[in-house]
Amino acid sequence: MALISKRASIFFIFTIVLITTHAYADCRGCCNGHGGTVCINGTTKCADGTELSDTCSNKGCDVCDEQESTNNPKTTIKIASFNIQIFGKNKASEPNVIKTLAKIIARFDVVAIQEIREKTNMAVTALESALEALGENYDYVIGPRLGKSNTKEQYAFFYRASVLRAGETYTYKESGADYIHREPLITQFFSKKSTFDFVLINVHVDPDDVDQEIAFFPEIVADAQKRLGEEDIMIMGDFNADCGYFDEDKQIKLRDERKFKWLIANQLDSTVAKDSCAYDRMIVTRSMAKKFTGKAGVFPFDIVYDLDVEPKEISDHYPVYAVFSYNVADTLSQSRFVVY
């Protein structure tokens, strides 16, 4: 009953707009008697102005995205972050789980993954193989095993090899005080289709020290800017930045709007559980914000896909995502946020 209630909440609280990467949903039958699907002012509707049904929206029917991709397929980069809860041999060995994870990853051009928990890289190689089985060519970079407790975790970035090239990758090293439980994995990416390049900082904040770790993030960003000579930077991942762990309205350095822009809004829910918590976040420097299209949100895989397993067998987190373009004006419209 909890799952049904959560789905109903998502339907009625948020606008449901699905994005896809290469394969778009079959929209046939969605507008029978209403003139077929068209893109009206950036929103997919029936030709007579009728709104799409929930069924059609949930299928991922978005001809505006399809039209944009067909007319100019190289203008956007779709970036996501996904905490794949306890991602190790058990999940990688379950065919339905690893196939679903691959389908989720394939919707985006680069995905930051947190909570990889196994020593042999079996899980990430299984995910790469599952992507190849879908006809997708993804490469990945993976960091060292980290953590102050006996439970160690790794970060990784999976990226579409035809779209992006990975540059320098390193794990942030603190000097002096030890504030961070799992030091971020930092990678520079270069678009193969444009001059757009950027740096992604992958983090998983310890729930017992959220305030301390998040307060240190601006220094991590500054370090990456200095080391890599790059101003377009995103810090992303599982911040545990909501509910009982963090006051999301607290004024901190990372909330300085002159320097940073938060792309995942406080009211979003990035958890599969009944409680609504925006744990997962994506924050960009003002330079990178100029490339932001205004499209950002949460991808609720349990609603989009007809799962053969319980949603929590995939993860207890939803992926969060944002879309960027190298032809976007500096002025950003908050009203264009895409949320589920």
Side-chain angles (χ1 to χ4, degrees):
M1 293 299 294
L3 178 59
I4 295 174
S5 175
K6 185 177 180 71
R7 289 183 176 184
S9 175
I10 291 173
F11 285 138
F12 290 103
I13 295 177
F14 299 125
T15 302
I16 301 176
V17 182
L18 303 179
I19 68 168
T20 56
T21 301
H22 288 304
Y24 295 89
D26 185 352
C27 299
R28 291 175 297 182
C30 286
C31 288
N32 283 347
H34 297 281
T37 52
V38 295
C39 182
I40 301 176
N41 295 327
T43 301
T44 299
K45 296 183 178 181
C46 298
D48 64 359
T50 302
E51 300 287 340
L52 293 188
S53 67
D54 286 343
T55 299
C56 290
S57 294
N58 292 342
K59 286 170 61 179
C61 181
D62 188 350
V63 297
C64 292
D65 247 1
E66 184 170 6
Q67 183 180 85
E68 175 186 355
S69 180
T70 300
N71 293 340
N72 195 352
K74 309 305 179 187
T75 60
T76 59
I77 299 289
K78 297 174 182 178
I79 302 175
S81 175
F82 193 11
N83 179 336
I84 307 178
Q85 180 192 23
I86 312 178
F87 185 38
K89 292 182 180 179
N90 288 342
K91 285 189 176 181
S93 299
E94 289 291 335
N96 290 333
V97 172
I98 200 69
K99 288 178 183 177
T100 301
L101 288 171
K103 287 168 63 178
I104 294 169
I105 300 300
R107 285 181 170 265
F108 308 102
D109 294 309
V110 56
V111 182
I113 295 175
Q114 302 91 45
E115 210 166 309
I116 301 168
R117 291 191 190 174
E118 59 100 13
K119 299 178 181 179
T120 66
N121 279 1
M122 179 269 191
V124 292
T125 55
L127 181 54
E128 184 182 36
S129 296
L131 283 160
E132 290 176 354
L134 294 176
E136 300 283 356
N137 182 16
Y138 276 73
D139 290 332
Y140 68 87
V141 294
I142 188 166
R145 302 181 72 237
L146 301 167
K148 294 182 179 180
S149 68
N150 291 331
T151 301
K152 307 299 182 184
E153 298 181 9
Q154 290 171 280
Y155 301 112
F157 291 107
F158 270 77
Y159 61 97
R160 195 183 304 278
S162 63
V163 174
L164 295 170
R165 174 177 64 84
E168 182 176 351
T169 296
Y170 68 98
T171 298
Y172 178 77
K173 299 297 182 184
E174 295 177 84
S175 59
D178 185 8
Y179 292 111
I180 310 297
H181 284 250
R182 291 171 287 265
E183 292 82 359
L185 180 67
I186 303 172
T187 300
Q188 188 167 26
F189 288 95
F190 300 88
S191 170
K192 291 185 175 181
K193 310 297 182 181
S194 73
T195 58
F196 183 30
D197 54 88
F198 51 90
V199 171
L200 301 182
I201 303 175
N202 193 349
V203 301
H204 184 192
V205 174
D206 189 275
D208 293 328
D209 285 304
V210 175
D211 286 290
Q212 175 178 279
E213 291 197 26
I214 290 180
F216 197 69
F217 283 176
E219 294 188 36
I220 298 174
V221 172
D223 178 80
Q225 289 173 323
K226 181 178 179 180
R227 174 164 174 166
L228 300 173
E230 176 61 63
E231 294 298 320
D232 292 343
I233 295 180
M234 176 191 290
I235 188 163
M236 61 200 300
D238 180 2
F239 285 30
N240 280 304
D242 200 357
C243 294
Y245 299 123
F246 182 71
D247 178 1
E248 59 190 5
D249 295 317
K250 183 178 180 180
Q251 292 303 308
I252 55 176
K253 289 182 179 179
L254 207 59
R255 285 288 187 185
D256 186 345
E257 295 183 354
R258 297 168 300 175
K259 297 180 179 180
F260 303 106
K261 182 175 182 64
W262 291 54
L263 305 186
I264 303 302
N266 288 349
Q267 72 269 23
L268 296 188
D269 179 11
S270 68
T271 66
V272 173
K274 182 179 180 180
D275 294 337
S276 177
C277 300
Y279 287 143
D280 302 87
R281 302 295 183 126
M282 308 176 84
I283 302 168
V284 293
T285 57
R286 272 292 156 183
S287 173
M288 192 165 178
K290 294 177 182 180
K291 285 90 172 176
F292 179 48
T293 65
K295 292 185 178 181
V298 176
F299 180 70
F301 53 79
D302 56 337
I303 293 176
V304 177
Y305 300 133
D306 184 14
L307 297 179
D308 295 322
V309 297
E310 289 297 315
K312 285 189 177 181
E313 293 184 48
I314 305 300
S315 179
D316 59 350
H317 287 249
Y318 291 131
V320 294
Y321 73 89
V323 185
F324 295 83
S325 169
Y326 44 86
N327 292 319
V328 174
D330 292 351
T331 302
L332 304 176
S333 171
Q334 292 286 342
S335 66
R336 294 184 60 217
F337 268 48
V338 179
V339 295
Y340 293 99

